[in-house]
């Protein structure tokens, strides 16, 4: 992704969406996030301040770290050992959020995103749904890092867009932070693998790898192995604007499979 904000004209901007940033376990690299994420955010804030634009910063649920408490926007974000690339990623986004809240530009909103998935996502980023979908389409076992009991709540990208439009329409008077998630799509990673296999009417074949470490593959496999098993996510603040996520997990999976191979032999399971 680009590290520069480029003015395409001298006109005044209404909104600037800062969505640039490393995404997915495979892109969480040591020695990068803590420097680059705040630096790019500061450039975006300065541009918004010069042009008078409202600034929407895409942050990450990773700011909550390994916390296993209910996650509201006011939950303390605590960085704990091990001091690995994931901690650096967390601190990078926390630093960028701090810049947003303390910058002189008044029109800033921060979105903490939880497991956003879309049909153009690829397996290269390490995100679990496109990775499982690609493995299933190739007839390979679905590789699970850890014991598969970890739980994730997946948000369709169209629901994220819907929230952004709602926020623009009902722009708050003060700076704010918003959890943007779909807790209704929460599932265990093992159950996600079964759901994807069911689209092919085939038995689920899993390759469970609890022993993998960061150095044994291109992905940050410890992200899966050491992740919090369950997150209690609150989206009550976002819902107070009249927004609610609508896309269910099975529909997310089908959209991803179809996008990866539109004319594939994916056979939706029927009753």
């Amino acid at each position: 992704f680009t590290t520069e904000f480029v003015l395409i004209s001298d006109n005044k901007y209404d909104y600037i969406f800062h969505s640039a940033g490393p995404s997915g376990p495979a892109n969480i690299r040591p020695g990068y996030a803590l420097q680059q994420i705040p630096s790019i955010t500061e450039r975006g804030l300065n541009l918004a301040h010069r042009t008078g634009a409202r600034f929407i910063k895409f942050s990450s649920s990773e700011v909550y770290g390994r916390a296993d408490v209910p996650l509201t926007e006011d939950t303390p974000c605590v960085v704990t050992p091990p001091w690995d690339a994931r901690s650096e990623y967390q601190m990078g986004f926390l630093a960028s959020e701090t810049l947003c809240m303390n910058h002189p530009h008044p029109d800033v909103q921060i979105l903490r995103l939880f497991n956003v998935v879309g049909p153009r996502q690829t397996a290269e980023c390490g995100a679990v749904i496109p990775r499982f979908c690609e493995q299933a389409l190739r007839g390979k076992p679905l590789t699970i890092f850890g014991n598969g009991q970890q739980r994730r709540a997946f948000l369709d990208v169209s629901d994220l867009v819907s929230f952004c439009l709602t926020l623009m329409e009902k722009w708050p008077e003060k700076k704010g932070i918003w959890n943007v998630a779909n807790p209704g799509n929460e599932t265990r990673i093992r159950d996600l693998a079964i759901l994807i296999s069911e689209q092919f009417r085939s038995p689920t074949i899993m390759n469970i790898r609890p022993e993998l470490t960061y150095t044994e593959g291109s992905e940050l496999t410890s992200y899966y192995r050491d992740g919090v098993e369950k997150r209690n996510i609150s989206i009550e603040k976002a819902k107070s604007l009249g927004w609610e996520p609508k896309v269910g997990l099975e529909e997310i999976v089908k959209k991803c499979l179809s996008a990866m191979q539109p004319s594939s032999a994916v056979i939706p399971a029927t009753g």
Side-chain angles (χ1 to χ4, degrees):
F1 59 92
T2 181
T3 59
E4 298 290 342
F5 284 85
V6 181
L7 280 170
I8 59 175
S9 74
D10 293 328
N11 295 332
K12 179 180 177 180
Y13 293 91
D14 295 316
Y15 292 90
I16 293 176
F17 286 82
H18 175 22
S19 59
S23 176
N27 293 317
I28 301 176
R29 305 190 303 272
Y32 179 83
L34 192 53
Q35 276 190 323
Q36 291 296 329
I37 294 175
S39 174
I40 299 167
T41 299
E42 185 175 28
R43 294 171 199 162
L45 286 164
N46 291 340
L47 176 59
H49 198 50
R50 290 200 309 271
T51 61
R54 290 173 169 175
F55 188 78
I56 298 176
K57 159 70 179 173
F58 284 14
S59 186
S60 168
S61 60
E62 284 295 306
V63 298
Y64 292 115
R66 296 168 173 86
D68 57 359
V69 297
L71 302 181
T72 71
E73 289 82 357
D74 296 325
T75 298
C77 298
V78 180
V79 184
T80 59
W83 308 116
D84 53 14
R86 189 176 182 186
S87 295
E88 184 181 341
Y89 186 74
Q90 176 192 6
M91 288 188 283
F93 275 109
L94 280 174
S96 69
E97 287 191 8
T98 304
L99 281 170
C100 287
M101 298 305 287
N102 290 283
H103 195 276
H105 187 57
D107 285 326
V108 179
Q109 300 297 322
I110 299 167
L111 278 52
R112 289 177 176 168
L113 309 182
F114 288 76
N115 303 106
V116 179
V117 185
R120 293 174 62 187
Q121 207 170 23
T122 65
E124 282 72 19
C125 70
V128 65
I129 287 184
R131 187 166 56 79
F132 278 179
C133 286
E134 183 177 283
Q135 289 176 324
L137 284 166
R138 293 181 177 181
K140 294 183 176 180
L142 308 189
T143 304
I144 293 176
F145 302 118
N147 59 16
Q149 299 301 315
Q150 309 95 315
R151 303 180 76 91
R152 299 288 183 269
F154 296 98
L155 177 73
D156 189 81
V157 67
S158 66
D159 282 326
L160 169 58
V161 172
S162 155
F163 177 77
C164 290
L165 293 173
T166 300
L167 185 63
M168 292 164 69
E169 181 183 351
K170 302 178 180 180
W171 191 261
E173 293 182 1
K174 297 181 179 180
K175 295 182 180 184
I177 299 174
W178 308 82
N179 284 343
V180 187
N182 189 342
N185 282 342
E186 184 179 289
T187 185
R188 295 187 309 164
I189 297 301
R190 276 177 178 259
D191 294 334
L192 174 65
I194 293 170
L195 173 62
I196 290 174
S197 295
E198 284 176 347
Q199 307 308 308
F200 297 84
R201 295 188 181 138
S202 61
T204 306
I205 302 175
M206 302 182 196
N207 178 21
I208 300 174
R209 304 294 302 276
E211 79 286 357
L212 282 178
T213 64
Y214 174 67
T215 57
E216 291 183 79
S218 60
E219 297 177 359
L220 185 63
T221 51
S222 63
Y223 173 91
Y224 299 101
R225 189 192 65 219
D226 300 333
V228 176
E229 287 199 357
K230 177 179 174 61
R231 287 187 180 274
N232 184 1
I233 308 164
S234 170
I235 58 169
E236 292 307 308
K237 184 177 177 181
K239 289 169 69 175
S240 72
L241 295 180
W243 171 84
E244 197 156 355
K246 300 183 183 304
V247 183
L249 182 57
E250 186 169 351
E251 185 178 348
I252 290 174
V253 166
K254 287 181 177 179
K255 289 199 309 187
C256 288
L257 285 169
S258 295
M260 284 185 173
Q261 196 165 340
S263 58
S264 69
V266 177
I267 305 173
T270 60

